[in-house]
Amino acid sequence: MMRNIMVASNQTISMTNCLTVTEKIRSREPILYETEISVLMLISVVINLKWTSVCIIFDKETEKEAAQFNQDLSEVEIFAVSYNMEEITSSDIDHLSDIDSTHSQNIIKFIVLCRLEACEKFLHQPFDFGRKHVWRNSLLHFSRWLVGVFHRDGQNIFEGNSNITFDNIAVIHYFTASGNQKLNQTHYSKNKFGWIPIETLMWRESTRRELSKIGYVNLNGSLLLQKDTTIFHNNGSDHLESFIYPNTEFGFNQRKFLMGTLPWAPFVELDEERNQYSGLTIEVIQELSHILNFTYVLKAPSDGKWGADKGNQSWNGLLGEIQRRDIDLVAAPLAINSYREQVMDFTHPYYYEHSGIVIKRPPHEHWRKLLNPLNVTVYLYIGISLPVITLLLFLFEKYNPFYRNIAGRKIIRGLHHFSDAFWYMYGALLCQGGEHIAVSSAGRTLLSCWWIFCIVIVATYSGNFVAFLTFPKDKLPFKDIEGLVEQSTYKWGTAGETIYETIFKNSELPERKKLWNGMIGFNQTDPSVFSSDPAEQIRKVEGGNYAYVADKTYIELAISHKCDLSLSPSDIQPILYAFPLPETSPFVKTFSDAIISIVDSGLIQMWKMKTWPKPGPCQQLNSTEAKTIFLIDFQIAFYIVAAGVVLGCLSLLYEHIKLKCGICIEKRQRKKKENNTNGFRKSTELTDVFYSNSLYDDNDDSPMKLAIRRQVGSSVSKTRKHNINEISVIGVCDDTSEK
């Protein structure tokens, strides 16, 4: 039969006939009409919840309602499967995992139609949801149950019943006055104006269950929701699922998890007197229990091992327990590894670790302490620079024209003697200098750069020498796995049946294969090389000629109290600590999201300060190591010396050019003076001729000669006299210059 469909509305409507009941209630319009009352109510709730698929479970007395319900759901395009509760099996539940893929946890929606007695019995154990059935067990949390219960008036249902362990159960009461499940519309119309309560089964203290009213559904399919709840105020009626199933807001609702663990300082430590665990990993578990609202119990594995593959993907220890699903989670620092992920799932990592090699510190070579601050190459280049720069300074000072006018310079001691230049340059390396200094521009330029070079060298050497005296540098016989496997003095080992055994055993790298084969060989004569007790491994290292491969955190804490131990500088394998869960566990994302929020909040660093042991007296010795200075660290100093050489050469070239130019100018001036002297001599000869002319004959008194004498006689006489004086002066200057 075709039915009319009306889409649910979120708008509040006035309920004039129901104000006494619905003052704090928000209404939704009816969904369907002309449908059996019980079915109409359920369909109204399902459509408002926006479910796309459901599983219908009924008993023999509600089979008719279940069939009609299934048919009506198909008409509104909601997929449904139906099971008789007397015939449903755990395998049928497993097939439901693919029905609803809209959630990563595969949330299954169940619709249950039955009598009160059958419902209580069925919900107590509808299928086998024990720990070994991971997905079915997750339905205790990741499932939604909408139960239509037929019972007599006044009969309390589920109250105080702690046997029902599913978190999210909503109940609609179908009252039957005579025990017949057939609804009487006239009876309901007289009961609070036809509104039937929707209640959800809440968890109370001591695992007691109690029904809490969250709204009403009308006989015509309308919904009324309580508005005085936190969920309603935060989300409104658009989040109807959180409103009808409020337990979804409380995580795991105090569910108890069984967790396995083993001590591994400082992540997990056991106080045997109080039988109490502590450490960074335990702090993370405690914070997760607060965020996700669960409780937990810690237990150690029966064999006391961490876990390794014993063949055919069969693991022992903690990993074996999680593989067999004997526990829910491992609360221990276990590393993520591809081989482990084949049989279990890991959460998001909560700690990033590194690994290294610890050995006994080799004896120090005290005679080398003076040489340790600088690299051999640096000493070599300094040794070459000293005579080279000395030679350049000697040449700059000896052949510099700046000193050309100093008489007897060859017998005067100074930087123009190679020995004096060498001792001055050597003294500069000791920040002392020498007796003589350079006066020329070329010499001063070169010496200024050399002094800068010497100051850098001396300051760096002095500072690094103090560091080597305070934090002596160990020359380890090897620094990584390659060096370890190539030598024959040291044996090596690691904690057996841990992540290192899995890594080295399955690695394809040649050096790791050789490392693993070496451990197998040493194990034949000394089984302690695979001891899982780190304290015993450290004692073997202290005995000498033994290397232990382990986490750097544990090694650093161990050697902080043992100054004769040293950690290799190389990182063997980065490690990510996470929590293993059973394979295909739906809880991985839930735990991972909570761990990400913990890591982002910075709580890990705070817990490290709280749980990490205080550093021992050797902590600074092992964490700080003086670094040898190499040539590349000094390159700027050598560049300065090179710049000084270039500038000195340019200055010396300038001095020579200046000298040449001065000589040329002097020659030009001398030639010009000589030319001027020749000119004066010709003028004198002409004057003498002029004076010897008959016009100036004193015995000739003719009128013409007398007139000429009067016209030019006085000026010529003065000129002749002036020229004679200048010639005399020039002659004196020439005589002086020749001398």
Side-chain angles (χ1 to χ4, degrees):
M1 178 178 61
M2 184 64 65
R3 294 170 174 80
N4 299 322
I5 300 178
M6 180 185 298
V7 179
S9 172
N10 288 332
Q11 298 179 353
T12 303
I13 62 172
S14 60
M15 307 295 294
T16 56
N17 296 331
C18 306
L19 290 179
T20 58
V21 182
T22 62
E23 291 178 353
K24 296 181 179 181
I25 294 177
R26 188 167 182 172
S27 174
R28 288 175 178 263
E29 290 292 345
I31 305 296
L32 302 172
Y33 292 100
E34 301 179 10
T35 307
E36 192 72 26
I37 295 175
S38 60
V39 173
L40 183 144
M41 293 179 179
L42 288 175
I43 291 180
S44 176
V45 176
V46 169
I47 293 179
N48 280 288
L49 287 172
K50 300 179 180 179
W51 289 354
T52 59
S53 61
V54 297
C55 175
I56 304 172
I57 301 176
F58 57 91
D59 62 4
K60 60 182 180 180
E61 297 186 14
T62 57
E63 184 175 359
K64 179 180 178 181
E65 284 78 7
Q68 182 180 349
F69 184 48
N70 194 340
Q71 180 180 354
D72 293 338
L73 287 177
S74 63
E75 293 185 8
V76 292
E77 298 182 352
I78 296 177
F79 178 77
V81 294
S82 299
Y83 294 100
N84 190 314
M85 65 175 54
E86 286 85 0
E87 300 176 356
I88 190 171
T89 63
S90 298
S91 299
D92 295 330
I93 299 298
D94 292 336
H95 293 321
L96 299 177
S97 60
D98 297 327
I99 291 180
D100 190 351
S101 59
T102 58
H103 297 80
S104 59
Q105 295 92 352
N106 287 330
I107 297 177
I108 304 299
K109 295 88 175 180
F110 294 94
I111 306 293
V112 181
L113 294 171
C114 59
R115 295 170 293 104
L116 175 59
E117 297 79 5
C119 281
E120 288 183 332
K121 182 179 179 181
F122 176 76
L123 292 177
H124 170 58
Q125 188 76 20
F127 44 79
D128 186 5
F129 50 76
R131 179 176 293 109
K132 291 185 178 296
H133 306 287
V134 177
W135 184 79
R136 276 182 256 150
N137 181 265
S138 69
L139 293 180
L140 296 174
H141 178 72
F142 294 128
S143 64
R144 306 291 183 263
W145 297 78
L146 182 59
V147 182
V149 180
F150 299 92
H151 64 96
R152 293 186 296 275
D153 293 340
Q155 186 175 0
N156 294 327
I157 66 170
F158 306 145
E159 291 288 346
N161 191 338
S162 61
N163 293 327
I164 301 177
T165 55
F166 291 90
D167 288 342
N168 305 297
I169 298 179
V171 181
I172 299 178
H173 301 239
Y174 298 131
F175 299 101
T176 57
S178 60
N180 186 357
Q181 76 270 18
K182 186 69 176 179
L183 289 177
N184 188 326
Q185 185 169 2
T186 303
H187 172 75
Y188 276 97
S189 63
K190 295 178 181 179
N191 183 15
K192 298 194 181 291
F193 309 100
W195 294 97
I196 298 178
I198 303 176
E199 297 177 300
T200 186
L201 200 57
M202 301 292 294
W203 285 103
R204 301 303 182 191
E205 295 182 0
S206 302
T207 66
R208 181 176 178 272
R209 304 304 294 269
E210 182 178 303
L211 288 173
S212 177
K213 191 175 298 182
I214 48 90
Y216 295 85
V217 58
N218 197 274
L219 299 179
N220 62 5
S222 300
L223 290 181
L224 295 176
L225 309 178
Q226 294 284 140
K227 295 194 297 182
D228 58 347
T229 65
T230 304
I231 297 175
F232 187 90
H233 287 300
N234 292 341
N235 302 323
S237 60
D238 289 335
H239 293 75
L240 187 61
E241 185 165 293
S242 298
F243 188 80
I244 293 180
Y245 300 102
N247 285 332
T248 58
E249 302 294 320
F250 303 111
F252 288 104
N253 293 282
Q254 290 294 301
R255 192 172 307 285
K256 182 180 290 187
F257 287 98
L258 181 61
M259 302 183 180
T261 189
L262 275 176
W264 185 266
F267 296 93
V268 178
E269 297 184 77
L270 174 62
D271 185 348
E272 296 182 357
E273 294 183 358
R274 296 184 298 173
N275 194 27
Q276 186 174 352
Y277 289 94
S278 61
L280 176 65
T281 300
I282 303 303
E283 293 288 343
V284 177
I285 290 295
Q286 290 178 353
E287 183 66 19
L288 288 174
S289 69
H290 296 152
I291 296 175
L292 300 178
N293 190 25
F294 65 84
T295 61
Y296 61 92
V297 175
L298 297 173
K299 65 178 289 290
S302 56
D303 57 5
K305 298 179 180 179
W306 291 94
D309 185 7
K310 294 305 177 182
N312 299 324
Q313 293 294 315
S314 178
W315 296 65
N316 62 359
L318 281 174
L319 298 181
E321 289 191 345
I322 199 70
Q323 181 189 26
R324 297 187 299 270
R325 300 174 181 177
D326 296 334
I327 56 178
D328 298 309
L329 182 144
V330 175
L334 285 174
I336 300 175
N337 180 263
S338 59
Y339 290 93
R340 292 178 172 181
E341 288 181 313
Q342 295 176 7
V343 295
M344 64 197 70
D345 292 336
F346 284 88
T347 64
H348 186 277
Y350 65 90
Y351 192 81
Y352 297 83
E353 179 64 289
H354 300 277
S355 54
I357 305 173
V358 59
I359 62 173
K360 188 174 182 179
R361 193 185 301 273
H364 299 295
E365 297 178 343
H366 297 282
W367 66 272
R368 290 178 52 88
K369 286 187 177 180
L370 283 174
L371 302 177
N372 284 335
L374 303 180
N375 184 261
V376 176
T377 307
V378 177
Y379 289 117
L380 178 62
Y381 273 78
I382 293 175
I384 295 174
S385 300
L386 178 60
V388 171
I389 303 301
T390 300
L391 177 62
L392 291 174
L393 178 64
F394 163 72
L395 296 175
F396 287 177
E397 290 295 294
K398 184 173 180 62
Y399 300 103
N400 198 317
F402 179 83
Y403 303 104
R404 69 184 182 278
N405 295 325
I406 299 178
R409 187 167 181 261
K410 292 183 179 180
I411 61 175
I412 300 174
R413 302 301 301 180
L415 298 180
H416 56 285
H417 293 278
F418 185 84
S419 60
D420 292 336
F422 175 82
W423 289 114
Y424 182 90
M425 303 297 273
Y426 179 73
L429 274 176
L430 303 178
C431 293
Q432 296 298 321
E435 178 181 359
H436 310 287
I437 60 174
V439 182
S440 65
S441 298
R444 289 189 175 188
T445 302
L446 180 61
L447 283 180
S448 62
C449 294
W450 177 255
W451 269 105
I452 295 175
F453 171 81
C454 293
I455 291 172
V456 172
I457 294 292
V458 172
T460 305
Y461 177 87
S462 301
N464 211 33
F465 181 64
V466 173
F468 269 92
L469 292 178
T470 308
F471 309 107
K473 179 182 178 181
D474 298 326
K475 186 177 181 181
L476 301 180
F478 48 84
K479 297 181 179 180
D480 48 26
I481 291 181
E482 289 82 355
L484 175 60
V485 298
E486 291 300 329
Q487 55 80 44
S488 58
T489 304
Y490 285 77
K491 295 182 179 180
W492 56 85
T494 189
E497 299 181 337
T498 62
I499 183 62
Y500 296 103
E501 178 177 328
T502 304
I503 292 174
F504 298 143
K505 183 178 180 180
N506 298 284
S507 177
E508 296 296 331
L509 298 177
E511 64 275 9
R512 293 190 177 184
K513 284 185 175 181
K514 194 171 182 179
L515 184 76
W516 174 250
N517 293 332
M519 292 180 184
I520 296 297
F522 301 145
N523 182 61
Q524 295 178 358
T525 56
D526 184 9
S528 61
V529 297
F530 281 130
S531 173
S532 58
D533 182 6
E536 181 179 356
Q537 294 280 8
I538 294 297
R539 287 192 294 269
K540 288 179 65 64
V541 173
E542 290 181 289
N545 295 334
Y546 183 77
Y548 175 45
V549 181
D551 303 345
K552 276 191 175 181
T553 298
Y554 183 85
I555 293 176
E556 290 172 351
L557 293 175
I559 65 179
S560 68
H561 297 276
K562 301 179 185 296
C563 299
D564 59 339
L565 301 184
S566 181
L567 176 63
S568 65
S570 63
D571 184 16
I572 297 177
Q573 176 75 29
I575 295 175
L576 305 179
Y577 285 154
F579 297 116
L581 288 92
E583 189 177 12
T584 68
S585 173
F587 297 146
V588 172
K589 186 178 185 305
T590 303
F591 278 95
S592 294
D593 292 343
I595 290 173
I596 291 173
S597 66
I598 291 174
V599 173
D600 292 343
S601 67
L603 289 174
I604 298 294
Q605 299 302 320
M606 184 183 71
W607 291 330
K608 283 183 65 175
M609 298 176 61
K610 173 184 175 182
T611 60
W612 249 236
K614 295 182 179 180
C618 307
Q619 176 73 19
Q620 192 174 12
L621 179 64
N622 289 282
S623 61
T624 306
E625 183 181 277
K627 174 182 176 292
T628 299
I629 304 300
F630 291 86
L631 181 62
I632 192 172
D633 302 317
F634 270 132
Q635 56 181 327
I636 184 61
F638 287 94
Y639 292 157
I640 293 174
V641 173
V645 171
V646 173
L647 293 176
C649 292
L650 293 176
S651 180
L652 182 62
L653 181 62
Y654 169 76
E655 295 285 352
H656 281 281
I657 293 175
K658 181 179 179 182
L659 176 62
K660 295 294 183 181
C661 291
I663 293 174
C664 291
I665 293 173
E666 186 178 354
K667 287 182 178 180
R668 288 181 181 179
Q669 291 178 350
R670 183 179 299 176
K671 187 175 181 181
K672 184 177 181 181
K673 290 178 181 179
E674 291 177 353
N675 293 335
N676 291 336
T677 302
N678 295 331
F680 286 132
R681 287 175 180 174
K682 291 180 179 179
S683 176
T684 303
E685 293 175 355
L686 290 175
T687 304
D688 292 341
V689 172
F690 182 78
Y691 276 108
S692 63
N693 193 287
S694 61
L695 292 176
Y696 288 90
D697 186 0
D698 294 337
N699 296 323
D700 189 358
D701 294 332
S702 62
M704 183 176 291
K705 291 184 178 181
L706 290 174
I708 292 172
R709 272 194 213 104
R710 287 193 296 267
Q711 183 71 25
V712 299
S714 59
S715 59
V716 171
S717 178
K718 292 180 181 179
T719 301
R720 183 173 182 269
K721 183 177 179 181
H722 178 71
N723 290 340
I724 292 172
N725 291 335
E726 285 186 352
I727 292 170
S728 300
V729 172
I730 292 172
V732 172
C733 292
D734 290 342
D735 294 340
T736 303
S737 62
E738 289 176 359
K739 291 179 181 179

